[in-house]
Amino acid sequence: MNIEQSVQMDLFGLQDLKYRSFHAKLMPTVSFDRIIGIRVPVLRKYASEFAKTEEAKMYLNILPHKYYEEYNLHGFLIEKCKDFDETIRLLDEFLPYVDNWATCDSVSPKVLKKNLPALLKKIKVWMASEHCWTVRFGIEALMNHFLDESFDSSFPKMVAKIKSDEYYVKMMVAWYFATALAKQPEAIMPYFEDKTLEPWTHNKAIQKSIESFRISEETKKYLKTLKYDKVV
């Protein structure tokens, strides 16, 4: 039995069939037969133990995978890497195989914050990718690492320039601007007032802002006046 087969056997041992049925409905881009059905905390615990083995290093050289959870496991193992450059290398190998929002959004290596200048350069590369999930990952990395003390007014401009028909990219752009509005209101509000984003994304960003507990009620009322009335 090879490493891949051994891991698959372990993962099926963690299967939760009820959770499989529930979670599959949330991921229309992944076929049902590729979903084992493992709750994220359970899979993260397995990843933490597996990461201590020599086999884990070898597993990171295996791509593509068969099952959705194998990709999540792969991403969680990348998170265990302590070296910035090696983490970037592993992400660049991994991201082209990502095919769903859950895997994309669940992988966030803490080591990335150790070299923000280099990360910013990489984010620009990711956001320019033709692969929609790599673009989404890049936007989320910008949102996670560059909205506080490292914020610059050029960053939302970068996100606003992204043009895509992909639903999951547009959703991440909306998420970025809703989060950015909460953290950098003076810099971000003009994007809503000037209607810089395309109508669907603009309205979705307002919706997410209104749903946020970090946005004041007064601001939420104002945002409602800025919505497009009809969006196809």
Side-chain angles (χ1 to χ4, degrees):
M1 183 183 298
N2 60 34
I3 294 172
E4 189 172 29
Q5 292 170 330
S6 176
V7 168
Q8 287 175 356
M9 187 171 69
D10 288 345
L11 295 182
F12 272 96
L14 303 173
Q15 186 178 50
D16 182 330
L17 292 177
K18 288 185 178 179
Y19 181 72
R20 182 193 189 202
S21 298
F22 164 75
H23 197 52
K25 295 176 183 177
L26 304 178
M27 298 187 301
T29 62
V30 182
S31 61
F32 188 74
D33 61 356
R34 288 185 49 237
I35 300 172
I36 297 172
I38 305 174
R39 295 179 183 275
V40 173
V42 175
L43 187 57
R44 281 195 175 277
K45 183 178 179 181
Y46 175 82
S48 294
E49 293 301 316
F50 185 49
K52 300 173 185 177
T53 69
E54 286 300 314
E55 286 80 5
K57 296 178 182 177
M58 300 171 67
Y59 191 77
L60 285 171
N61 293 320
I62 301 174
L63 282 169
H65 296 295
K66 181 177 181 180
Y67 295 103
Y68 155 74
E69 284 85 357
E70 288 184 279
Y71 284 105
N72 286 0
L73 172 61
H74 196 121
F76 297 160
L77 292 176
I78 292 175
E79 290 182 338
K80 302 295 182 182
C81 183
K82 298 291 197 293
D83 182 78
F84 178 88
D85 291 334
E86 177 65 4
T87 298
I88 293 296
R89 184 188 72 79
L90 291 170
L91 285 172
D92 279 341
E93 290 180 349
F94 174 70
L95 288 173
Y97 293 96
V98 174
D99 63 357
N100 66 88
W101 68 266
T103 300
C104 184
D105 295 0
S106 64
V107 180
S108 184
K110 294 180 180 179
V111 74
L112 294 181
K113 65 183 178 183
K114 290 187 176 182
N115 192 341
L116 291 181
L119 175 60
L120 182 59
K121 290 181 181 179
K122 196 66 206 183
I123 284 172
K124 292 177 180 178
V125 174
W126 288 332
M127 293 199 307
S129 172
E130 294 183 358
H131 181 238
C132 73
W133 303 108
T134 300
V135 176
R136 183 179 171 101
F137 185 86
I139 299 169
E140 187 169 8
L142 190 69
M143 180 176 71
N144 289 340
H145 297 286
F146 294 93
L147 278 184
D148 296 305
E149 62 272 8
S150 300
F151 177 77
D152 185 89
S153 60
S154 65
F155 299 157
K157 290 179 182 179
M158 289 163 43
V159 179
K161 288 180 180 178
I162 294 174
K163 305 300 179 186
S164 175
D165 293 327
E166 294 286 349
Y167 171 82
Y168 290 99
V169 172
K170 294 193 293 183
M171 281 295 294
M172 183 54 72
V173 171
W175 186 7
Y176 173 88
F177 275 94
T179 305
L181 181 63
K183 294 192 172 189
Q184 302 289 342
E186 291 186 7
I188 301 302
M189 184 56 80
Y191 286 87
F192 290 93
E193 293 173 330
D194 299 340
K195 296 188 174 180
T196 306
L197 305 176
E198 58 92 16
W200 187 93
T201 307
H202 172 89
N203 278 5
K204 189 61 67 172
I206 289 178
Q207 177 188 325
K208 286 184 170 291
S209 297
I210 291 172
E211 292 169 354
S212 173
F213 65 89
R214 294 180 293 184
I215 303 291
S216 70
E217 290 302 317
E218 182 180 359
T219 300
K220 290 178 181 180
K221 289 179 181 179
Y222 179 50
L223 287 172
K224 291 177 182 178
T225 70
L226 301 177
K227 291 183 68 174
Y228 284 96
D229 292 332
K230 293 182 180 179
V231 176
V232 178

